[in-house]
């Protein structure tokens, strides 16, 4: 639902908090004080000129609308969570007053679901996996003299020895029933086959669901299965699965049950029992936090028993980088794995894992996730543990990633951002023109008030805004060819001066009266040159940084 909300809700250009120049935590008294001041400034009855009167009426309406929303606790909670779009959803009239923001969010999601249910028939969730197995053991494990007389023997032989392709789609039948159709094709050393499966799932209640599975193929034969899920308590759930696999050798029944329980807020405990051709009992503990993921598992079974421990660290960076390591030991040997994962674009994630084991040898696994599609490239390097194979399996993917990142990915992402920015500018051109016209009208309406404020401040050597610019500033040493995109906001800021003080909140300054966004999507700043007690002051503030003037630290020499 969260993803759906992000798609449905657009970013509003008009910030009510910025328009009233109040904090997001502003009290009713602060809202009322700001509202009264703007009403005195924009009240239509104060202007005789027909054009100014018309513009004042429009701005007065905007201010009144902002105050109405923020002064009502329920509307304000909706606006804080979902913006103006949330206020437009039909059905709010039946919502009880005095609800908490959490209850309002739940009610909004219910109204969204009612609308989404009418479009269920048109929705699918395609998922796919493509796996290409590569045998590159000839790179590290061969005797050079054995191939000297063989044509082409000087070059290592690398071959694709297996492939697997699978795809699935979901088809909602009703609000509680969903059908999933999936199929796969596999080949290994020239032999292969495929199968197709149909799964029908029904949500029986908020606490459980069940599904039936039917399958057929030339590899395993017909299949019939059943699976159920049930929330036993708020912290515990169980699943059970039964299956019948038909083949030329007869019918192979199987069963699996699992119980899971929340041990604490970030830790889950699992107990699983599997009966069939590979019966086993498995218990595991999984701890997942914001910065790490830890798993400890023990399996006792026929023919394989093992102990496994893995740890993953999550960096809190923009690319969502993760590093991981694991060790697994059992009756069939020991396996050590380490690797990393990183987001390379909005919808793409790449990962590489090195596996070192006895008797498995050394292998490298590369994974690329693109939206709901997964591409796997398991590369077998050696059957023995050779230092050269371990070195190249570790360093090779890292060097390749850095080269691709610098030469391909970064230029591509930069071009995409520039393209999206240009597209956004084209789409919002009419809105920018409207906002510019409103800002210019607001400045005209402020002229008389600004004169009175300046006269009052001069009489007591108070705060006078000499010059103020808002937008994107370009230094002489950087981006010389690009011109600065700024607007003069001297009058609007002087109009906000009260008792020789100017206070701006952390909201974007583009929403202030008399302001507009001169460079949509780009980083903006506010530059001020002001006079206080006969001294010159200057300050540069970020777009969303709070600002309070005057300050002694802003003072500069008159010559400067």
């Amino acid at each position: 639902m969260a993803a759906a909300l992000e798609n449905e809700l657009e970013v509003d250009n008009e910030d009510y908090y910025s328009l009233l120049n109040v904090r997001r935590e502003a009290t009713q008294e602060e809202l009322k004080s700001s509202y009264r001041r703007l009403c005195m400034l924009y009240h239509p009855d104060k202007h005789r000129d027909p054009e100014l009167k018309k513009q004042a009426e429009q701005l007065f309406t905007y201010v009144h609308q902002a105050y109405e929303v923020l002064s009502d606790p329920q509307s304000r909670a909706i606006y804080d969570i979902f913006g103006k779009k949330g206020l437009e959803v039909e059905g709010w009239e039946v919502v009880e007053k005095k609800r908490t923001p959490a209850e309002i969010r739940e009610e909004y999601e219910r109204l969204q679901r009612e609308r989404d249910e009418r479009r269920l028939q048109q929705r699918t969730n395609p998922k796919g996996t493509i796996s290409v197995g590569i045998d590159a053991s000839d790179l590290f494990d061969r005797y050079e003299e054995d191939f000297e007389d063989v044509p082409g023997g000087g070059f290592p032989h690398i071959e694709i020895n297996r492939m697997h392709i699978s795809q699935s789609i979901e088809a909602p039948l009703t609000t509680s029933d969903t059908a999933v159709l999936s199929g796969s094709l596999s080949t290994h050393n020239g032999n292969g086959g495929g199968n197709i499966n149909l799964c029908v799932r029904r949500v029986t209640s908020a606490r459980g669901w069940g599904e039936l599975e039917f399958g057929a193929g030339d590899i395993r034969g017909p299949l019939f299965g059943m699976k159920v899920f049930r929330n036993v308590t708020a912290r515990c759930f169980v699943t059970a699965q039964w299956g019948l696999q038909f083949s030329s050798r007869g019918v192979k029944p199987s069963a699996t049950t699992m119980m899971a329980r929340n041990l604490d807020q970030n830790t889950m405990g699992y107990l699983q029992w599997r009966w069939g051709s590979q019966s086993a009992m498995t218990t595991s503990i999984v701890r997942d936090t914001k910065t790490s993921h830890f798993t400890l598992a023990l399996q006792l079974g026929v023919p394989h028993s093992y102990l496994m421990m893995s740890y993953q660290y999550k960096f809190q960076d923009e690319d969502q980088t993760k590093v991981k390591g694991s060790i697994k030991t059992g009756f069939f040997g020991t396996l050590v794995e380490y690797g990393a994962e990183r987001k390379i674009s909005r919808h793409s994630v790449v990962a590489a894992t090195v596996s070192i084991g006895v008797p498995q040898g050394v292998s490298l696994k590369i994974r690329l996730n693109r939206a709901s599609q997964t591409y796997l490239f398991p590369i077998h390097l050696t059957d023995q543990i050779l230092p050269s194979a371990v070195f190249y399996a570790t360093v090779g993917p890292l060097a390749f990633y850095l080269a691709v990142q610098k030469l391909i990915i970064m230029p591509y992402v930069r071009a995409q951002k520039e393209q999206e920015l240009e597209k956004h500018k084209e789409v919002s051109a009419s809105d920018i023109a409207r906002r510019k016209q409103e800002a210019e009208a607001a400045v005209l309406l402020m002229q008389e008030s600004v004169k009175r404020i300046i006269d009052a401040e001069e009489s007591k050597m108070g705060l006078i805004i000499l010059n103020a610019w808002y937008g994107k500033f370009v230094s002489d040493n950087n981006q010389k060819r690009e011109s600065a995109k700024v607007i003069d906001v001297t009058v609007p800021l002087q109009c906000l001066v009260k008792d020789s003080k100017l206070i701006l909140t952390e909201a974007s300054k583009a929403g202030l009266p008399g302001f507009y966004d001169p460079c949509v999507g780009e980083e903006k700043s506010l530059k001020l040159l002001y006079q206080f007690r006969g001294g010159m002051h200057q300050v540069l503030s970020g777009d969303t940084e709070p600002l309070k003037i005057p300050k002694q630290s802003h003072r500069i020499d008159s010559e400067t």
Side-chain angles (χ1 to χ4, degrees):
M1 174 59 70
L5 291 177
E6 289 179 1
N7 293 332
E8 293 290 338
L9 299 177
E10 302 175 354
V11 177
D12 298 317
N13 291 322
E14 297 173 5
D15 185 345
Y16 286 161
Y17 290 99
S18 181
L19 179 62
L20 298 180
N21 191 29
V22 293
R23 302 172 297 119
R24 298 193 74 86
E25 303 82 13
T27 63
Q28 291 291 336
E29 288 300 320
E30 292 174 332
L31 288 171
K32 188 177 295 184
S33 175
S34 178
Y35 173 63
R36 286 176 176 173
R37 187 176 184 188
L38 290 175
C39 284
M40 292 176 62
L41 180 64
Y42 294 136
H43 201 287
D45 294 342
K46 293 185 62 178
H47 305 279
R48 298 181 180 179
D49 184 273
E51 186 63 27
L52 290 179
K53 190 179 184 70
K54 181 179 179 182
Q55 293 170 351
E57 288 176 352
Q58 189 176 11
L59 292 171
F60 184 81
T61 301
Y62 289 154
V63 172
H64 182 69
Q65 183 182 26
Y67 177 71
E68 274 195 334
V69 170
L70 299 184
S71 60
D72 180 65
Q74 184 196 25
S75 299
R76 183 174 179 176
I78 298 168
Y79 177 80
D80 287 345
I81 299 171
F82 304 107
K84 289 177 62 179
K85 203 76 175 179
L87 298 169
E88 299 172 3
V89 175
E90 297 179 1
W92 284 121
E93 62 274 3
V94 300
V95 179
E96 296 178 4
K97 299 288 184 179
K98 298 182 181 179
R99 286 201 172 190
T100 65
E103 293 172 328
I104 290 174
R105 176 182 284 273
E106 183 179 350
E107 184 67 19
Y108 182 89
E109 291 180 350
R110 183 190 68 79
L111 294 171
Q112 287 285 84
R113 284 196 298 270
E114 290 180 356
R115 185 177 65 175
D116 292 342
E117 287 170 0
R118 296 193 292 265
R119 297 182 294 181
L120 276 176
Q121 299 296 333
Q122 304 173 1
R123 294 186 177 181
T124 61
N125 184 24
K127 296 179 181 179
T129 300
I130 298 177
S131 178
V132 180
I134 301 173
D135 184 359
S137 57
D138 205 31
L139 286 171
F140 302 96
D141 192 10
R142 73 168 185 168
Y143 292 104
E144 296 293 341
E145 58 269 18
D146 292 345
F147 299 92
E148 289 179 353
D149 299 330
V150 179
F155 297 97
H157 182 62
I158 300 175
E159 65 176 0
I160 297 175
N161 58 4
R162 67 176 64 193
M163 289 189 67
H164 176 79
I165 301 175
S166 63
Q167 188 73 28
S168 68
I169 57 171
E170 294 183 3
L173 305 177
T174 65
T175 56
S176 58
D177 297 331
T178 303
V180 180
L181 181 64
S182 61
S184 65
L185 293 172
S186 300
T187 177
H188 184 203
N189 291 331
N191 299 317
N195 61 75
I196 186 170
N197 289 66
L198 175 64
C199 174
V200 180
R201 175 182 295 182
R202 163 165 286 192
V203 179
T204 56
S205 67
R207 300 181 61 184
W209 50 264
E211 66 180 29
L212 294 176
E213 181 182 5
F214 306 90
D218 57 357
I219 299 179
R220 298 183 301 177
L223 167 71
F224 172 76
M226 180 183 298
K227 185 177 182 179
V228 295
F229 168 90
R230 181 73 176 179
N231 277 314
V232 180
T233 66
R235 301 179 60 184
C236 178
F237 69 86
V238 295
T239 63
Q241 185 174 356
W242 304 271
L244 294 175
Q245 181 73 62
F246 298 89
S247 65
S248 57
R249 298 181 181 180
V251 180
K252 295 182 179 179
S254 63
T256 301
T257 61
M258 183 186 71
M259 181 179 71
R261 180 178 176 81
N262 278 98
L263 303 180
D264 61 36
Q265 185 178 0
N266 300 308
T267 308
M268 288 288 295
Y270 298 90
L271 182 62
Q272 183 185 64
W273 174 76
R274 185 171 66 247
W275 173 78
S277 58
Q278 295 185 347
S279 299
M281 178 75 77
T282 306
T283 180
S284 59
I285 296 176
V286 179
R287 181 170 177 80
D288 191 15
T289 66
K290 185 178 180 180
T291 59
S292 64
H293 182 92
F294 174 79
T295 301
L296 179 64
L298 172 66
Q299 175 175 300
L300 301 175
V302 178
H304 191 27
S305 296
Y306 66 83
L307 174 66
M308 188 273 290
M309 181 173 63
S310 69
Y311 179 80
Q312 181 183 77
Y313 182 78
K314 308 173 187 176
F315 291 90
Q316 303 302 305
D317 58 354
E318 184 180 355
D319 297 323
Q320 301 176 12
T321 306
K322 303 174 184 177
V323 293
K324 57 184 178 181
S326 68
I327 182 170
K328 181 179 179 181
T329 183
F331 291 164
F332 293 126
T334 301
L335 180 68
V336 176
E337 291 187 339
Y338 58 89
E341 176 183 308
R342 189 165 193 172
K343 185 177 181 181
I344 57 177
S345 69
R346 183 183 302 176
H347 304 292
S348 300
V349 176
V350 66
T353 303
V354 179
S355 301
I356 306 170
V358 177
Q360 294 91 341
V362 181
S363 62
L364 171 66
K365 302 173 186 176
I366 298 175
R367 173 173 56 87
L368 174 64
N369 289 95
R370 174 67 179 172
S372 59
Q373 299 294 315
T374 302
Y375 304 90
L376 299 172
F377 300 94
I379 306 172
H380 182 64
L381 300 178
T382 64
D383 294 323
Q384 301 176 353
I385 300 178
L386 299 178
S388 59
V390 176
F391 175 79
Y392 284 107
T394 304
V395 177
L398 180 60
F400 180 76
Y401 168 77
L402 293 176
V404 172
Q405 174 81 1
K406 185 175 182 179
L407 300 176
I408 299 176
I409 296 177
M410 292 180 65
Y412 174 76
V413 172
R414 193 181 305 114
Q416 285 290 100
K417 288 183 178 179
E418 292 176 356
Q419 185 178 357
E420 290 178 1
L421 180 59
E422 291 299 323
K423 185 177 180 181
H424 182 60
K425 287 180 179 178
E426 293 177 2
V427 172
S428 57
S430 59
D431 183 63
I432 294 174
R434 178 181 64 83
R435 295 282 297 168
K436 180 180 180 181
Q437 184 179 4
E438 292 173 358
E440 292 173 348
V443 170
L444 290 176
L445 297 173
M446 295 175 183
Q447 296 294 340
E448 293 184 8
S449 297
V450 167
K451 290 179 182 179
R452 291 195 300 268
I453 294 173
I454 291 177
D455 291 340
E457 293 296 326
E458 285 181 341
S459 65
K460 56 184 177 181
M461 297 185 69
L463 177 60
I464 299 176
I465 309 297
L466 300 177
N467 281 301
W469 302 272
Y470 172 70
K472 180 181 179 181
F473 297 89
V474 180
S475 64
D476 295 334
N477 298 326
N478 184 29
Q479 298 175 324
K480 292 183 178 180
R481 296 181 181 178
E482 185 177 359
S483 59
K485 303 172 184 176
V486 297
I487 58 174
D488 188 340
V489 291
T490 306
V491 172
L493 288 182
Q494 185 68 66
C495 195
L496 293 175
V497 172
K498 183 179 181 181
D499 298 329
S500 298
K501 294 179 181 179
L502 174 63
I503 300 176
L504 302 180
T505 65
E506 68 277 3
S508 173
K509 297 170 179 61
L512 290 170
F515 282 61
Y516 70 94
D517 193 341
C519 44
V520 177
E522 300 183 55
E523 187 175 350
K524 292 173 284 291
S525 303
L526 175 66
K527 189 173 184 180
L528 274 171
L529 179 65
Y530 63 92
Q531 182 176 316
F532 180 71
R533 293 180 180 174
M536 301 293 290
H537 299 69
Q538 183 173 286
V539 62
L540 181 67
S541 173
D543 185 30
T544 56
E545 293 178 5
L547 177 65
K548 294 182 180 180
I549 61 173
K551 283 188 176 181
Q552 181 67 30
S553 58
H554 298 164
R555 190 180 180 93
I556 60 174
D557 295 333
S558 300
E559 296 179 359
T560 304

